[in-house]
Amino acid sequence: MSRLELRHVRKAFGGLDVLADISLSVGAGEFVSILGPSGAGKSTLFQLLTGAEHGAGEMFFDGAPLDDHGRHFAFMPQRDALMPWRRIIDNTTLGLEVQGVGRKAARARVAPLFAEFGLVGFERHFPAQLSGGMRQRAALLRTVVQERDMLLLDEPFGALDALTRAALQRWLEQMWRHHRWTALLITHDVREALYLSDRIYVLSARPARIVREIKVPLPRPRDPTAAAAPLASALEAEILDILLNPQPFKGHDDD
Amino acid sequence: MLASSSTRPRRVAGFLAKSAPAVISVGLLLVTWELYANHSGIKPTILPAPSRVLEQAILNRGALIDNAIPTIRATLLGFACSLSAAFVFSVLVDFFQPLRRALFPVFIVSQTLPLVAIAPLVVLWFGFGLAPKILLVALVTFFPMLVALVQGYEATEAEIGQMLRAMGAGRWRVFVLARLPSALPYFFAGLRISITYAVVGAIFAEYAGAAKGLGIYMLNAKNNFRPDLVLAAVAVSAVLTLVLFGLTVLLQRIAMPWERVGREPSGKGRRG
């Protein structure tokens, strides 16, 4: 049973086709990635989901047309978008505050999560005092504590250095195994997609359409060295081949 | 707590080291002036020595204070009016973009009016009381404050706005939670500039006509061939401006604690 389902979603910005034809689904407790070149319109897709933009095509959540956008998704933007003027604890309660949860109750709900997110002792710090990796974990904490049906992660590790990114990918995979969030991740990092996802949709360059859907049958917990395993490297080679040698579009029936 | 008590003397020493060049340059200027005024044979009715200015300022302190109070009152009241109006208009402009196109040309024209010409007219229309002073202070400070606020709102990180809307926040929530705090650095930058304009504006208004005030005091001293008293009044207005400027800096430090914290090396490193 899929929770999110998109059928032939299209979007153009003034004559410029950004999304040509996107059909995809995300099941309950499934981690799905959308992998594509930069500027392919991946973030536009999230804007459609969160209601910031409107496009053509059909979008369903739990079988019902997607109308009340705020209810289903917790969105984590590319850069951490932490508010420099709020302490970490007040940044993490932001989503709850917008939902109308009182300050005290919101703090009580985020407090127990600080340990798991490796942020104990930094509750009263300002974002500028934290490292890039910690800021990103705080941003994820702010996202998951909203307890929405589904996480939308827009290149959450894109701005980090390679080592921090690798550490956070491992940490996120571990967190996901505990929590089994339904998640949709946007990325242009093939290894990141393979390491974290159950399934990957590969996007073409703009105008974006889905050129391939790839199941990732790698066992969990994912072995950090799995990138070297034969199956993983075969998948990686296949995806890179699709991305780097684009085939002329021949039609794709996945309904 | 231990950390703060051990860093305090170091911070004071750092402040002294940073202000030393300014103290030395101002000191040199005053010493040169003093030597020139005493030894070049120039008459004190043309150029009085700083020591004479100080002496006369102390002798006439009653009159100076008496005249500084209306100036301070006009500055603060005018600035308060200007600030409130700028805030209200900045919010309106932020919510209704067409208003910006309607109002900004008018405000820009108001900035091109030469104060020399407009000050006597405003006095002519509104008399010698407080009203024309407030109006002139507001005239010179309103637009800089409005521009600072409007630019500040627009400096809000786009992703923060997008995230808040995805959380379900309406326009007003986004404004209060993100746009208003994002404007704080711009607001204080505008405040620091405008507060100096405000003092000049108030003195100018008094110069054009007032019963009391540093402006009219300077005019009378000049007409009585007392440049020492003109300079004493100038010194008072300079001190007044510096105090107000210092207050805005202090206010910013209190209102934006994260600014200080972000710049201090904290051993944890900002990145990585």
Side-chain angles (χ1 to χ4, degrees), chain A residues 78-79 85 97 129-130 142, chain B residues 159 163 173 181 261 270:
Chain A
Q78 228 161 61
R79 279 172 295 157
W85 56 87
E97 229 173 278
Q129 293 170 288
L130 266 59
R142 176 192 61 201
Chain B
E159 290 190 319
M163 175 189 70
R173 286 308 281 285
V261 136
R270 294 196 52 179

Side-chain angles (χ1 to χ4, degrees), chain B residues 74-139:
Chain B
T75 303
L76 294 182
L77 277 175
F79 198 55
C81 290
S82 159
L83 212 57
S84 322
F87 178 69
V88 170
F89 274 98
S90 72
V91 177
L92 289 175
V93 163
D94 196 56
F95 275 82
F96 311 105
Q97 289 293 329
L99 259 185
R100 181 184 184 145
R101 283 190 291 279
L103 294 176
F104 268 44
V106 180
F107 296 147
I108 290 169
V109 167
S110 80
Q111 291 306 288
T112 65
L113 303 175
L115 212 52
V116 192
I118 211 76
L121 284 180
V122 173
V123 171
L124 184 69
W125 296 331
F126 295 96
F128 291 94
L130 201 53
K133 280 105 197 159
I134 289 176
L135 204 71
L136 278 169
V137 170
L139 185 73

Side-chain angles (χ1 to χ4, degrees), chain A residues 47 50 70 73 75 77-79 81-86 94-95 97-98 122 125-126 128-132 135 142 146 148 161 164, chain B residues 156-160 162-170 173 177-179 181-182 184 257-258 261-263 266 268-272:
Chain A
Q47 288 181 334
T50 57
F73 305 110
F75 169 63
Q78 228 161 61
R79 279 172 295 157
L82 293 174
M83 294 177 168
W85 56 87
R86 283 181 166 233
L94 186 66
E97 229 173 278
V98 172
F122 290 90
H125 283 58
F126 286 110
Q129 293 170 288
L130 266 59
S131 70
R135 293 175 62 123
R142 176 192 61 201
Q146 297 172 40
R148 302 292 174 132
D161 64 276
T164 310
Chain B
T156 309
E157 216 182 303
E159 290 190 319
I160 289 183
Q162 199 192 340
M163 175 189 70
L164 279 170
R165 279 187 295 274
M167 285 170 171
R173 286 308 281 285
L177 287 171
R179 295 180 80 80
S182 294
L184 275 177
W258 61 93
V261 136
R263 270 191 240 113
S266 66
K268 276 148 209 137
R270 294 196 52 179
R271 301 263 170 263

Side-chain angles (χ1 to χ4, degrees), chain A residues 83-109:
Chain A
M83 294 177 168
W85 56 87
R86 283 181 166 233
R87 296 176 191 278
I88 293 301
I89 183 127
D90 298 323
N91 261 295
T92 56
T93 57
L94 186 66
L96 299 175
E97 229 173 278
V98 172
Q99 284 175 30
V101 179
R103 191 186 176 84
K104 244 182 130 176
R107 286 191 171 192
R109 261 169 75 180

Side-chain angles (χ1 to χ4, degrees), chain A residues 3 23 50 53 70-71 76 95 99-100 108 114 122 135 137 145 150 162 165 167 177 187 210 214-215 232 237 245:
Chain A
R3 298 215 77 178
S23 298
T50 57
E53 295 286 348
R71 224 179 41 219
M76 177 168 170
Q99 284 175 30
F114 270 71
F122 290 90
R135 293 175 62 123
R137 289 202 298 269
V145 79
M150 187 170 167
R165 182 161 59 226
R177 268 188 282 119
T187 182
I210 285 162
I214 289 171
K215 285 207 165 62
N245 307 302

